[in-house]
Amino acid sequence: LIQQSADLESVLAAAPEITKPKLRESLIEHAGNARLSRELVKLVSDAPLPEPLDDLILKGIPPEPLRAFLEDQGFKSLLAKVGGPGPGNGNSISSPLAATPAAASKPAPPPAEAVPVDHKAYETVVDEAALDRWIAEARAQGFVAVDTETDELDCIRANLVGISLATAPGKACYIPLGHVGDGLLSDTPRQLARALVLERLKPLLEDPAVLKIGQNLKYDLVMFRRSGVDVTPYDDTMLISFDLDAGLHGHGMDELSELHIGHKPIAFKDVCGTGKSQISFDKVDLARAPEYAAEDADVTLRLWQTLKPRLARESATRVYELVDRPLVPVVAEMERAGIRVDREELARLSAEFAGQITILEGEIHALAGGPFTIGSPKQLGEVLFDRLGLKGGRKGKTGWSTDVSELERLAADGQPIATKILDWRQLSKLKSTYTDALQASINPATGRVHTSYGLAHAQTGRLASTDPNLQNIPIRTEIGRRIRDAFVAEPGKLLLSADYSQIELRLAAHMCDVPALKEAFRKGEDIHALTAQELFGEVNRDTRGRAKTVNFSILYGISRWGLAGRLGISSDEAQAIIDRYFERFPGINRYIAETLGFARDNGFVTTLFGRKTHFPRIGSSNQGERQGSERAAINAPIQGTSADIIKRAMARMPGALDDAGLGDVRMLLQVHDELVFELAPDQVEPASAVIRAIMAHAAKPAITLDVPLDIDIGTGPSWGAAH
């Protein structure tokens, strides 16, 4: 009304003429309140001021006492804008080297972001004198950032093309080793011999008095180990970032560089191109290569200076030093080892799966009343809910939902087409992801498959497996076992599988302080049978299976509707089971409430080892985002502690086996709660004892659990037989 009139008084004056009776009466009756409200919100423009407005103009930030405060609190970026450290301060916040003897007497480096990135200042090292100068400088100061360049991403197949070093922000070099020029008529550029460079660098890279700094250093460790160089000691900026900020952002170098030092690094595509015109890095011109390669080492050093001091301030040193950092060379060696696969068996499985997929397609088309593209969600939704008229579908902006939960619901309702589509999807995925892809993944030089483990991918700290992903092979199905059967030991060897038994339930018993569960685990009782007795009053195959579902579902913060779907019951029945579960095991209900309260107050949760997982959307106004964060927050301390424990076991395993005279027993795979080894038949008994002991006591001495950790061990000629 005010938009249509000049002001409030005009609206009130015209009120008797308004045709809507209720609106007219309200305006007339409450005119006084309207005028009072206007008066209450009116700004006072004639109040006396204690100081003239002109005297309040900001004429610059006074450096004191602001500088002292910024130095004390570690605000390096702001400190640089104020004007840098004060005289005699020493700038201790910028130096993470307090414990490094070689650096103790040196002045601290300037803040990483205070030095501009100058690509033209990077040096290309092509003579021995320059190489020796860089090595001497790195050794003198006690730390150096290191990066490698290769001709492809797969570190097992790749060739070393060059090495970058950085000793200070803006001070970096590139040592080309394998550049060949782009094209038949291109000359091979001047560069030092690969063997000479590695011979000179080896003492530096293995020097225990010089800290080597890398970003995703695992890749570089593999490249150096293939050349006979064992890099130690080291820091990894990717892992430092992960242990500080898991869940807040990614931990790749480019993203961290923009986030922490305000610099966008040169993109790989800007140097090597894209698509059909893309070249490998060994063909990049040496006038351009150092700008990209040396920048990586420069940025890595700057990130280290920025992130490393935060570990102690933010209580992340423990998880970094006790869990993640020791794991890097162990995982690098596992990737180098790889695992043998039976190509002929994979080919047989692919052919068999193809036949079954064809049969399923015919059956699905018959049930649908005609052919359609089963892999198209749009066409599938139209067939199920428009053509066949199935009930209960969810329709969004892009069409009908045909995700796995929707198909499982239809299958549970007795719709055979949904069951066959689920089978078709599983077989198609297994064929494309494993039986076909694994054959292409076999390294021709080793005859083995070398998966890549991501150390900073899963938010809870679990390792991720890619290229190929070996962690999504179905565990409990016959098809999954047959795929595992294709993973075999070398002739004359066996595979040994060591699997934590119900580790997350055991950790829940400890972390939630549930006496009944702790006592049951100490006595070696069947925990699912115990839960069945508590919830349903009897133990049989059906109640034990339902109890098992409840045990794991509640740890994942499942809702009444989610549990109802898994058990095939009503939501009211599911809520009754949840209530009864919390009544029998009140510690779990208390744990959930306390964990959610902590997460809402602090934005993160922690494992027993102090690993933080952040949940920035836990206070979201979007119900789906908020509830998803809440479910993840409930499980993260338990799943994350489980991940921390198996990582500690992995880090200790090579040394323990070596001390027992079993140094040639190789750890090949880590899949969820399982470790897979390759060994000789006569090593099974002594190796099993060592492996069991290391895994059972991996939490100690940092953490003492109230429940034992049990390990199931099996052996056989294949992974399927051992699992």
Side-chain angles (χ1 to χ4, degrees), residues 152-486:
E152 67 169 280
L153 292 176
D154 184 346
C155 59
I156 306 300
R157 301 173 187 246
N159 296 301
L160 188 61
V161 172
I163 299 170
S164 301
L165 305 175
T167 55
K171 191 169 187 179
C173 73
Y174 179 58
I175 311 166
L177 302 177
H179 285 258
V180 296
D182 185 15
L184 293 174
L185 302 179
S186 300
D187 293 330
T188 299
R190 180 191 173 198
Q191 54 199 327
L192 291 169
R194 180 176 179 275
L196 182 146
V197 171
L198 290 170
E199 180 184 354
R200 298 283 180 87
L201 284 177
K202 180 178 172 71
L204 172 70
L205 296 176
E206 296 182 347
D207 189 340
V210 180
L211 180 69
K212 274 65 68 174
I213 304 158
Q215 164 74 17
N216 190 18
L217 191 63
K218 172 174 64 70
Y219 185 97
D220 306 293
L221 291 189
V222 172
M223 295 307 303
F224 282 124
R225 282 194 173 186
R226 288 177 54 199
S227 301
V229 178
D230 291 321
V231 179
T232 187
Y234 57 85
D235 262 339
D236 190 324
T237 51
M238 180 185 73
L239 293 182
I240 294 173
S241 173
F242 182 63
D243 290 340
L244 289 167
D245 298 326
L248 294 180
H249 51 71
H251 307 281
M253 190 195 74
D254 289 1
E255 183 172 352
L256 295 180
S257 177
E258 293 193 59
L259 180 65
H260 294 296
I261 62 178
H263 171 69
K264 183 176 182 179
I266 299 172
F268 181 81
K269 65 180 181 180
D270 292 338
V271 178
C272 294
T274 59
K276 294 181 179 180
S277 62
Q278 181 174 323
I279 59 174
S280 53
F281 200 79
D282 57 332
K283 296 180 178 64
V284 175
D285 188 86
L286 279 190
R288 178 66 166 151
E291 297 181 2
Y292 172 85
E295 181 189 58
D296 283 354
D298 183 10
V299 168
T300 296
L301 182 64
R302 295 169 189 251
L303 289 174
W304 177 71
Q305 289 184 349
T306 302
L307 296 173
K308 184 69 182 286
R310 288 179 53 197
L311 285 175
R313 292 202 302 265
E314 299 177 28
S315 303
T317 302
R318 189 185 195 202
V319 70
Y320 176 68
E321 295 291 351
L322 297 183
V323 180
D324 284 340
R325 190 169 70 93
L327 192 66
V328 177
V330 176
V331 174
E333 194 58 33
M334 289 169 61
E335 291 186 5
R336 284 189 64 206
I339 187 168
R340 186 166 174 253
V341 294
D342 186 336
R343 187 190 294 272
E344 293 181 358
E345 177 62 20
L346 289 173
R348 282 194 295 270
L349 283 175
S350 281
E352 182 180 326
F353 289 170
Q356 294 176 6
I357 289 169
T358 299
I359 293 172
L360 282 170
E361 286 176 348
E363 293 173 344
I364 292 168
H365 290 159
L367 290 169
F372 68 99
T373 304
I374 302 172
S376 166
K378 182 176 184 299
Q379 291 187 35
L380 178 59
E382 291 171 352
V383 166
L384 295 178
F385 302 108
D386 292 333
R387 184 190 298 179
L388 298 181
L390 302 185
K391 303 300 182 184
R394 291 181 286 113
K395 195 169 188 178
K397 294 180 180 179
T398 58
W400 294 102
S401 171
T402 58
D403 60 18
V404 64
S405 62
E406 194 66 32
L407 291 173
E408 287 177 345
R409 179 188 65 80
L410 292 172
D413 289 344
Q415 299 294 340
I417 190 172
T419 302
K420 292 186 182 297
I421 291 169
L422 287 169
D423 292 341
W424 180 90
R425 281 187 177 178
Q426 183 187 44
L427 281 173
S428 298
K429 182 177 180 179
L430 292 176
K431 182 178 183 298
S432 62
T433 306
Y434 295 110
T435 59
D436 289 348
L438 283 173
Q439 295 180 65
S441 297
I442 297 174
N443 186 302
T446 65
R448 298 165 78 91
V449 168
H450 302 263
T451 188
S452 176
Y453 285 105
L455 302 178
H457 287 63
Q459 191 171 342
T460 56
R462 282 180 176 265
L463 297 184
S465 168
T466 57
D467 303 318
N469 181 356
L470 302 182
Q471 296 184 333
N472 284 346
I473 301 174
I475 295 175
R476 298 176 181 85
T477 66
E478 174 63 19
I479 292 176
R481 186 195 63 75
R482 293 185 63 191
I483 292 176
R484 281 182 168 81
D485 282 341

